[in-house]
Every structure is written in structure tokens, then in C-alpha cells.
Amino acid sequence: RIYENGLFVYDTKKFTDTSACRYSLLSKEELAGLKQKFSDMNFFQFEDKYPADKRTPTDLPSCILFFNNGKQQKTIIDKRWETPETLTQLELAVDNLVNSKKLQFCDN
């Protein structure tokens, strides 16, 4: 989850290197760059889930993106099946951000 004030919350359950809730505060520049990516990729125009109209096996990993730009918010649940390339690019941008930041554990 990425909030308008720059709060970045990364909450993993399974299928990642570590399962935990972690957070960081993005700089104004990082937030502006990420917000621009979400805007350029028309995040609010995506479906709420992928695949949109198909059932998928329940054991597929999911990527859940939540974005709040201060005016609107949206959550997308992506089962990584028939995902638009632009959404995959956004997911990778968030992953890159996670890998570049020193995240604090939420329960600290």
C-alpha cells in the first residue's frame, strides 16, 4: 500500500523471501515518481482483479496493489494470469522500491 503522505506498507503472507508486515516513508521525489508511474499506466482504469472474468486455481500466488492518491483509491488483486503488461510493470516498480529501501517491521 502506498499512501498520499508517502507511507509505504509492504505486507507479505507467503511466497516471498520473508513473510511480514514492513513499512517505510518514501521521499517526496520517490513518491512523485511512483505516482507518475501509476498515472502514466492509468492504474484506476485497470480491472479490480486479474484474470477479470475467469476462475483461477486457488493456489496461485497473488499480488495485491492498493493505491490512494488522495482523491481516489483502488485495490487490484492480480493472480498473475492474463495480467496486462502495464500492470506487471507497476508491480515490478513496487518490487524494485521494496528492494531498494530499508523497511521497518510494523510491530516495532
Side-chain angles (χ1 to χ4, degrees), residues 63-88:
C63 177
I64 302 170
L65 282 180
F66 170 84
F67 184 65
N68 178 347
N69 68 3
K71 297 176 185 170
Q72 52 186 335
Q73 62 185 24
K74 183 175 184 75
T75 300
I76 297 176
I77 301 172
D78 178 18
K79 288 288 202 171
R80 311 266 176 135
W81 186 336
E82 298 180 1
T83 305
E85 181 60 30
T86 51
L87 180 57
T88 299

Side-chain angles (χ1 to χ4, degrees), residues 23-59:
Y23 72 94
S24 183
L25 191 59
L26 303 180
S27 70
K28 289 180 182 180
E29 294 79 18
E30 289 171 320
L31 182 60
L34 199 54
K35 284 172 63 175
Q36 189 61 50
K37 260 192 201 311
F38 275 74
S39 177
D40 291 348
M41 301 293 184
N42 296 312
F43 182 77
F44 294 105
Q45 301 304 312
F46 287 114
E47 299 290 336
D48 291 336
K49 67 177 187 166
Y50 286 96
D53 298 324
K54 294 183 182 175
R55 292 181 55 112
T56 58
T58 57
D59 61 345

Side-chain angles (χ1 to χ4, degrees), residues 1-2 6-10 22-24 26 94 97-98 103:
R1 290 177 240 143
I2 302 163
L7 178 63
F8 172 59
V9 179
Y10 185 69
R22 295 180 286 169
Y23 72 94
S24 183
L26 303 180
V94 172
L97 187 60
V98 167
L103 302 175

